[in-house]
mmCIF file of all heavy atoms in Angstrom:
data_model
loop_
_atom_site.group_PDB
_atom_site.id
_atom_site.type_symbol
_atom_site.label_atom_id
_atom_site.label_comp_id
_atom_site.label_asym_id
_atom_site.label_seq_id
_atom_site.Cartn_x
_atom_site.Cartn_y
_atom_site.Cartn_z
ATOM 1 N N TYR A 25 0.907 -1.177 -0.010
ATOM 2 C CA TYR A 25 0.028 0.019 0.064
ATOM 3 C C TYR A 25 0.877 1.218 0.009
ATOM 4 O O TYR A 25 2.076 1.207 0.473
ATOM 5 C CB TYR A 25 -1.006 0.007 1.192
ATOM 6 C CG TYR A 25 -0.394 0.428 2.527
ATOM 7 C CD1 TYR A 25 -0.116 1.692 2.889
ATOM 8 C CD2 TYR A 25 -0.155 -0.604 3.571
ATOM 9 C CE1 TYR A 25 0.403 2.051 4.101
ATOM 10 C CE2 TYR A 25 0.270 -0.264 4.798
ATOM 11 C CZ TYR A 25 0.608 1.050 5.030
ATOM 12 O OH TYR A 25 1.038 1.367 6.322
ATOM 13 N N ILE A 26 0.303 2.248 -0.511
ATOM 14 C CA ILE A 26 0.889 3.663 -0.439
ATOM 15 C C ILE A 26 -0.129 4.548 0.234
ATOM 16 O O ILE A 26 -1.293 4.617 -0.227
ATOM 17 C CB ILE A 26 1.198 4.165 -1.850
ATOM 18 C CG1 ILE A 26 2.196 3.300 -2.550
ATOM 19 C CG2 ILE A 26 1.780 5.570 -1.796
ATOM 20 C CD1 ILE A 26 2.468 3.598 -3.999
ATOM 21 N N TRP A 27 0.280 5.200 1.287
ATOM 22 C CA TRP A 27 -0.615 6.068 2.110
ATOM 23 C C TRP A 27 -0.168 7.475 1.922
ATOM 24 O O TRP A 27 0.951 7.856 2.308
ATOM 25 C CB TRP A 27 -0.493 5.590 3.544
ATOM 26 C CG TRP A 27 -1.024 6.498 4.597
ATOM 27 C CD1 TRP A 27 -1.321 7.803 4.617
ATOM 28 C CD2 TRP A 27 -1.369 6.044 5.935
ATOM 29 N NE1 TRP A 27 -1.821 8.263 5.755
ATOM 30 C CE2 TRP A 27 -1.866 7.176 6.600
ATOM 31 C CE3 TRP A 27 -1.349 4.831 6.606
ATOM 32 C CZ2 TRP A 27 -2.329 7.125 7.978
ATOM 33 C CZ3 TRP A 27 -1.774 4.757 7.929
ATOM 34 C CH2 TRP A 27 -2.211 5.848 8.638
ATOM 35 N N GLU A 28 -0.990 8.350 1.340
ATOM 36 C CA GLU A 28 -0.709 9.750 1.141
ATOM 37 C C GLU A 28 -1.485 10.548 2.218
ATOM 38 O O GLU A 28 -2.778 10.534 2.050
ATOM 39 C CB GLU A 28 -1.070 10.217 -0.273
ATOM 40 C CG GLU A 28 -0.198 9.470 -1.338
ATOM 41 C CD GLU A 28 -0.671 9.835 -2.742
ATOM 42 O OE1 GLU A 28 -1.705 9.324 -3.211
ATOM 43 O OE2 GLU A 28 0.039 10.674 -3.390
ATOM 44 N N ASN A 29 -0.832 11.214 3.068
ATOM 45 C CA ASN A 29 -1.504 11.844 4.180
ATOM 46 C C ASN A 29 -1.617 13.377 3.947
ATOM 47 O O ASN A 29 -0.736 13.989 3.419
ATOM 48 C CB ASN A 29 -0.841 11.597 5.475
ATOM 49 C CG ASN A 29 -1.693 11.852 6.733
ATOM 50 O OD1 ASN A 29 -2.420 10.859 7.094
ATOM 51 N ND2 ASN A 29 -1.646 13.017 7.264
ATOM 52 N N CYS A 30 -2.633 14.033 4.517
ATOM 53 C CA CYS A 30 -2.846 15.399 4.499
ATOM 54 C C CYS A 30 -3.613 15.864 5.729
ATOM 55 O O CYS A 30 -4.694 15.232 5.956
ATOM 56 C CB CYS A 30 -3.546 15.869 3.250
ATOM 57 S SG CYS A 30 -3.874 17.666 3.100
ATOM 58 N N TYR A 31 -3.056 16.844 6.495
ATOM 59 C CA TYR A 31 -3.800 17.270 7.607
ATOM 60 C C TYR A 31 -4.161 18.753 7.465
ATOM 61 O O TYR A 31 -3.333 19.613 7.159
ATOM 62 C CB TYR A 31 -3.000 17.113 8.901
ATOM 63 C CG TYR A 31 -3.689 17.697 10.073
ATOM 64 C CD1 TYR A 31 -4.905 17.125 10.498
ATOM 65 C CD2 TYR A 31 -3.171 18.724 10.896
ATOM 66 C CE1 TYR A 31 -5.503 17.664 11.666
ATOM 67 C CE2 TYR A 31 -3.768 19.189 11.914
ATOM 68 C CZ TYR A 31 -5.051 18.624 12.394
ATOM 69 O OH TYR A 31 -5.688 19.132 13.479
ATOM 70 N N ASP A 32 -5.433 19.076 7.650
ATOM 71 C CA ASP A 32 -6.012 20.513 7.515
ATOM 72 C C ASP A 32 -6.133 21.037 8.934
ATOM 73 O O ASP A 32 -7.015 20.722 9.720
ATOM 74 C CB ASP A 32 -7.370 20.414 6.786
ATOM 75 C CG ASP A 32 -7.875 21.773 6.476
ATOM 76 O OD1 ASP A 32 -7.672 22.763 7.379
ATOM 77 O OD2 ASP A 32 -8.643 21.964 5.485
ATOM 78 N N GLU A 33 -5.179 21.913 9.246
ATOM 79 C CA GLU A 33 -5.221 22.486 10.631
ATOM 80 C C GLU A 33 -6.414 23.266 10.890
ATOM 81 O O GLU A 33 -6.897 23.419 12.036
ATOM 82 C CB GLU A 33 -3.927 23.277 10.866
ATOM 83 C CG GLU A 33 -2.673 22.500 10.970
ATOM 84 C CD GLU A 33 -1.484 23.333 11.567
ATOM 85 O OE1 GLU A 33 -1.649 23.954 12.554
ATOM 86 O OE2 GLU A 33 -0.380 23.204 10.961
ATOM 87 N N THR A 34 -6.970 23.976 9.943
ATOM 88 C CA THR A 34 -8.207 24.791 10.121
ATOM 89 C C THR A 34 -9.351 23.903 10.461
ATOM 90 O O THR A 34 -10.118 24.217 11.396
ATOM 91 C CB THR A 34 -8.509 25.568 8.825
ATOM 92 O OG1 THR A 34 -7.290 26.463 8.541
ATOM 93 C CG2 THR A 34 -9.615 26.507 9.010
ATOM 94 N N GLU A 35 -9.621 22.954 9.598
ATOM 95 C CA GLU A 35 -10.758 21.998 9.839
ATOM 96 C C GLU A 35 -10.568 20.908 10.842
ATOM 97 O O GLU A 35 -11.444 20.273 11.309
ATOM 98 C CB GLU A 35 -11.140 21.403 8.452
ATOM 99 C CG GLU A 35 -11.613 22.416 7.394
ATOM 100 C CD GLU A 35 -12.864 23.111 7.790
ATOM 101 O OE1 GLU A 35 -13.742 22.585 8.524
ATOM 102 O OE2 GLU A 35 -12.973 24.306 7.311
ATOM 103 N N LYS A 36 -9.182 20.741 11.182
ATOM 104 C CA LYS A 36 -8.760 19.683 12.114
ATOM 105 C C LYS A 36 -9.154 18.271 11.527
ATOM 106 O O LYS A 36 -9.502 17.389 12.273
ATOM 107 C CB LYS A 36 -9.350 19.923 13.430
ATOM 108 C CG LYS A 36 -8.802 21.197 14.125
ATOM 109 C CD LYS A 36 -9.179 21.243 15.538
ATOM 110 C CE LYS A 36 -8.693 22.611 16.194
ATOM 111 N NZ LYS A 36 -7.275 22.764 16.061
ATOM 112 N N ILE A 37 -9.010 18.118 10.209
ATOM 113 C CA ILE A 37 -9.441 16.870 9.596
ATOM 114 C C ILE A 37 -8.060 16.293 8.939
ATOM 115 O O ILE A 37 -7.362 17.005 8.214
ATOM 116 C CB ILE A 37 -10.502 17.074 8.507
ATOM 117 C CG1 ILE A 37 -11.732 17.492 9.076
ATOM 118 C CG2 ILE A 37 -10.615 15.705 7.752
ATOM 119 C CD1 ILE A 37 -12.483 16.485 10.005
ATOM 120 N N ASN A 38 -7.838 15.043 9.278
ATOM 121 C CA ASN A 38 -6.712 14.320 8.750
ATOM 122 C C ASN A 38 -7.304 13.431 7.630
ATOM 123 O O ASN A 38 -8.094 12.566 7.901
ATOM 124 C CB ASN A 38 -6.015 13.472 9.705
ATOM 125 C CG ASN A 38 -4.719 12.931 9.289
ATOM 126 O OD1 ASN A 38 -3.682 13.645 9.128
ATOM 127 N ND2 ASN A 38 -4.695 11.666 8.840
ATOM 128 N N GLU A 39 -6.813 13.666 6.410
ATOM 129 C CA GLU A 39 -7.287 12.808 5.326
ATOM 130 C C GLU A 39 -6.177 11.979 4.824
ATOM 131 O O GLU A 39 -4.998 12.419 4.666
ATOM 132 C CB GLU A 39 -7.722 13.745 4.119
ATOM 133 C CG GLU A 39 -8.107 12.957 2.815
ATOM 134 C CD GLU A 39 -8.441 13.887 1.712
ATOM 135 O OE1 GLU A 39 -8.524 15.158 1.905
ATOM 136 O OE2 GLU A 39 -8.573 13.373 0.564
ATOM 137 N N TYR A 40 -6.427 10.712 4.539
ATOM 138 C CA TYR A 40 -5.449 9.854 3.949
ATOM 139 C C TYR A 40 -6.027 8.981 2.833
ATOM 140 O O TYR A 40 -7.080 8.412 2.994
ATOM 141 C CB TYR A 40 -4.633 8.991 4.837
ATOM 142 C CG TYR A 40 -5.390 8.069 5.857
ATOM 143 C CD1 TYR A 40 -5.597 6.758 5.549
ATOM 144 C CD2 TYR A 40 -5.897 8.615 7.024
ATOM 145 C CE1 TYR A 40 -6.142 5.943 6.386
ATOM 146 C CE2 TYR A 40 -6.575 7.717 7.892
ATOM 147 C CZ TYR A 40 -6.651 6.386 7.609
ATOM 148 O OH TYR A 40 -7.256 5.554 8.477
ATOM 149 N N ALA A 41 -5.301 9.034 1.689
ATOM 150 C CA ALA A 41 -5.729 8.226 0.550
ATOM 151 C C ALA A 41 -4.769 7.058 0.505
ATOM 152 O O ALA A 41 -3.520 7.275 0.540
ATOM 153 C CB ALA A 41 -5.633 9.070 -0.705
ATOM 154 N N VAL A 42 -5.390 5.865 0.522
ATOM 155 C CA VAL A 42 -4.576 4.735 0.546
ATOM 156 C C VAL A 42 -4.853 3.896 -0.724
ATOM 157 O O VAL A 42 -5.885 3.488 -1.071
ATOM 158 C CB VAL A 42 -4.847 3.809 1.752
ATOM 159 C CG1 VAL A 42 -3.886 2.641 1.821
ATOM 160 C CG2 VAL A 42 -4.769 4.637 3.029
ATOM 161 N N ASN A 43 -3.667 3.679 -1.476
ATOM 162 C CA ASN A 43 -3.839 2.831 -2.726
ATOM 163 C C ASN A 43 -3.264 1.435 -2.272
ATOM 164 O O ASN A 43 -2.145 1.219 -1.740
ATOM 165 C CB ASN A 43 -2.968 3.348 -3.769
ATOM 166 C CG ASN A 43 -3.668 4.462 -4.568
ATOM 167 O OD1 ASN A 43 -4.432 4.164 -5.515
ATOM 168 N ND2 ASN A 43 -3.479 5.659 -4.137
ATOM 169 N N PHE A 44 -4.084 0.355 -2.484
ATOM 170 C CA PHE A 44 -3.736 -1.010 -2.165
ATOM 171 C C PHE A 44 -3.410 -1.774 -3.454
ATOM 172 O O PHE A 44 -4.132 -1.554 -4.403
ATOM 173 C CB PHE A 44 -4.816 -1.676 -1.387
ATOM 174 C CG PHE A 44 -5.264 -1.051 -0.110
ATOM 175 C CD1 PHE A 44 -6.416 -0.227 -0.015
ATOM 176 C CD2 PHE A 44 -4.482 -1.128 1.017
ATOM 177 C CE1 PHE A 44 -6.739 0.354 1.069
ATOM 178 C CE2 PHE A 44 -4.827 -0.623 2.208
ATOM 179 C CZ PHE A 44 -5.872 0.195 2.290
ATOM 180 N N PHE A 45 -2.483 -2.577 -3.391
ATOM 181 C CA PHE A 45 -2.126 -3.395 -4.482
ATOM 182 C C PHE A 45 -2.135 -4.902 -4.019
ATOM 183 O O PHE A 45 -1.301 -5.295 -3.221
ATOM 184 C CB PHE A 45 -0.780 -3.122 -5.130
ATOM 185 C CG PHE A 45 -0.646 -1.683 -5.553
ATOM 186 C CD1 PHE A 45 -0.360 -0.688 -4.685
ATOM 187 C CD2 PHE A 45 -0.946 -1.373 -6.851
ATOM 188 C CE1 PHE A 45 -0.196 0.639 -5.084
ATOM 189 C CE2 PHE A 45 -0.881 -0.043 -7.277
ATOM 190 C CZ PHE A 45 -0.516 0.972 -6.407
ATOM 191 N N ILE A 46 -3.195 -5.668 -4.319
ATOM 192 C CA ILE A 46 -3.348 -6.994 -3.866
ATOM 193 C C ILE A 46 -3.213 -8.009 -4.970
ATOM 194 O O ILE A 46 -3.804 -7.854 -6.055
ATOM 195 C CB ILE A 46 -4.665 -7.108 -3.209
ATOM 196 C CG1 ILE A 46 -4.846 -6.013 -2.040
ATOM 197 C CG2 ILE A 46 -4.906 -8.523 -2.646
ATOM 198 C CD1 ILE A 46 -6.220 -5.926 -1.456
ATOM 199 N N GLN A 47 -2.330 -8.969 -4.779
ATOM 200 C CA GLN A 47 -2.033 -9.949 -5.835
ATOM 201 C C GLN A 47 -3.164 -10.895 -6.084
ATOM 202 O O GLN A 47 -3.781 -11.470 -5.145
ATOM 203 C CB GLN A 47 -0.762 -10.700 -5.532
ATOM 204 C CG GLN A 47 -0.198 -11.590 -6.615
ATOM 205 C CD GLN A 47 1.081 -12.227 -6.247
ATOM 206 O OE1 GLN A 47 1.260 -12.710 -5.159
ATOM 207 N NE2 GLN A 47 2.033 -12.198 -7.240
ATOM 208 N N ASN A 48 -3.521 -11.077 -7.381
ATOM 209 C CA ASN A 48 -4.495 -12.126 -7.691
ATOM 210 C C ASN A 48 -3.790 -13.434 -7.879
ATOM 211 O O ASN A 48 -2.656 -13.609 -7.893
ATOM 212 C CB ASN A 48 -5.117 -11.666 -9.063
ATOM 213 C CG ASN A 48 -5.840 -10.287 -9.004
ATOM 214 O OD1 ASN A 48 -6.534 -10.032 -7.983
ATOM 215 N ND2 ASN A 48 -5.613 -9.478 -9.974
ATOM 216 N N GLN A 49 -4.621 -14.510 -8.101
ATOM 217 C CA GLN A 49 -4.110 -15.799 -8.181
ATOM 218 C C GLN A 49 -3.180 -16.055 -9.407
ATOM 219 O O GLN A 49 -2.327 -16.839 -9.399
ATOM 220 C CB GLN A 49 -5.328 -16.876 -8.185
ATOM 221 C CG GLN A 49 -6.078 -17.010 -6.877
ATOM 222 C CD GLN A 49 -7.105 -18.018 -6.865
ATOM 223 O OE1 GLN A 49 -7.437 -18.547 -7.982
ATOM 224 N NE2 GLN A 49 -7.702 -18.366 -5.751
ATOM 225 N N ASP A 50 -3.504 -15.216 -10.443
ATOM 226 C CA ASP A 50 -2.687 -15.390 -11.716
ATOM 227 C C ASP A 50 -1.489 -14.519 -11.631
ATOM 228 O O ASP A 50 -0.690 -14.503 -12.616
ATOM 229 C CB ASP A 50 -3.546 -15.060 -12.889
ATOM 230 C CG ASP A 50 -3.951 -13.533 -12.881
ATOM 231 O OD1 ASP A 50 -3.588 -12.782 -11.960
ATOM 232 O OD2 ASP A 50 -4.663 -13.108 -13.826
ATOM 233 N N GLY A 51 -1.190 -13.893 -10.520
ATOM 234 C CA GLY A 51 0.123 -13.093 -10.348
ATOM 235 C C GLY A 51 -0.084 -11.716 -10.683
ATOM 236 O O GLY A 51 0.799 -10.905 -10.326
ATOM 237 N N SER A 52 -1.147 -11.296 -11.292
ATOM 238 C CA SER A 52 -1.360 -9.868 -11.538
ATOM 239 C C SER A 52 -1.862 -9.189 -10.189
ATOM 240 O O SER A 52 -2.058 -9.887 -9.240
ATOM 241 C CB SER A 52 -2.489 -9.690 -12.555
ATOM 242 O OG SER A 52 -3.682 -10.231 -12.202
ATOM 243 N N TYR A 53 -1.934 -7.895 -10.230
ATOM 244 C CA TYR A 53 -2.252 -7.117 -9.058
ATOM 245 C C TYR A 53 -3.487 -6.347 -9.203
ATOM 246 O O TYR A 53 -3.678 -5.699 -10.292
ATOM 247 C CB TYR A 53 -1.154 -6.172 -8.598
ATOM 248 C CG TYR A 53 -0.005 -6.931 -7.836
ATOM 249 C CD1 TYR A 53 1.023 -7.581 -8.536
ATOM 250 C CD2 TYR A 53 0.056 -6.957 -6.475
ATOM 251 C CE1 TYR A 53 1.989 -8.271 -7.862
ATOM 252 C CE2 TYR A 53 1.017 -7.529 -5.791
ATOM 253 C CZ TYR A 53 2.037 -8.270 -6.459
ATOM 254 O OH TYR A 53 3.007 -8.958 -5.822
ATOM 255 N N HIS A 54 -4.361 -6.370 -8.194
ATOM 256 C CA HIS A 54 -5.610 -5.566 -8.229
ATOM 257 C C HIS A 54 -5.304 -4.334 -7.476
ATOM 258 O O HIS A 54 -4.957 -4.424 -6.288
ATOM 259 C CB HIS A 54 -6.731 -6.357 -7.688
ATOM 260 C CG HIS A 54 -7.932 -5.559 -7.302
ATOM 261 N ND1 HIS A 54 -8.716 -4.920 -8.313
ATOM 262 C CD2 HIS A 54 -8.515 -5.164 -6.174
ATOM 263 C CE1 HIS A 54 -9.665 -4.232 -7.717
ATOM 264 N NE2 HIS A 54 -9.612 -4.410 -6.447
#
């Protein structure tokens, strides 16, 4: 996974977008 974080001090909201790469049975990644 790759986690991209961003914290908004004004709104006090922490946002993180996480991209997951999960291997399929055939060796490819979803």
Side-chain angles (χ1 to χ4, degrees):
Y25 77 76
I26 300 173
W27 168 338
E28 297 175 283
N29 199 85
C30 177
Y31 178 60
D32 185 326
E33 290 194 47
T34 301
E35 298 295 329
K36 297 190 182 302
I37 296 295
N38 190 79
E39 175 185 351
Y40 56 98
V42 188
N43 279 273
F44 301 102
F45 303 87
I46 303 172
Q47 190 175 41
N48 300 315
Q49 290 185 351
D50 64 2
S52 64
Y53 280 83
H54 168 66

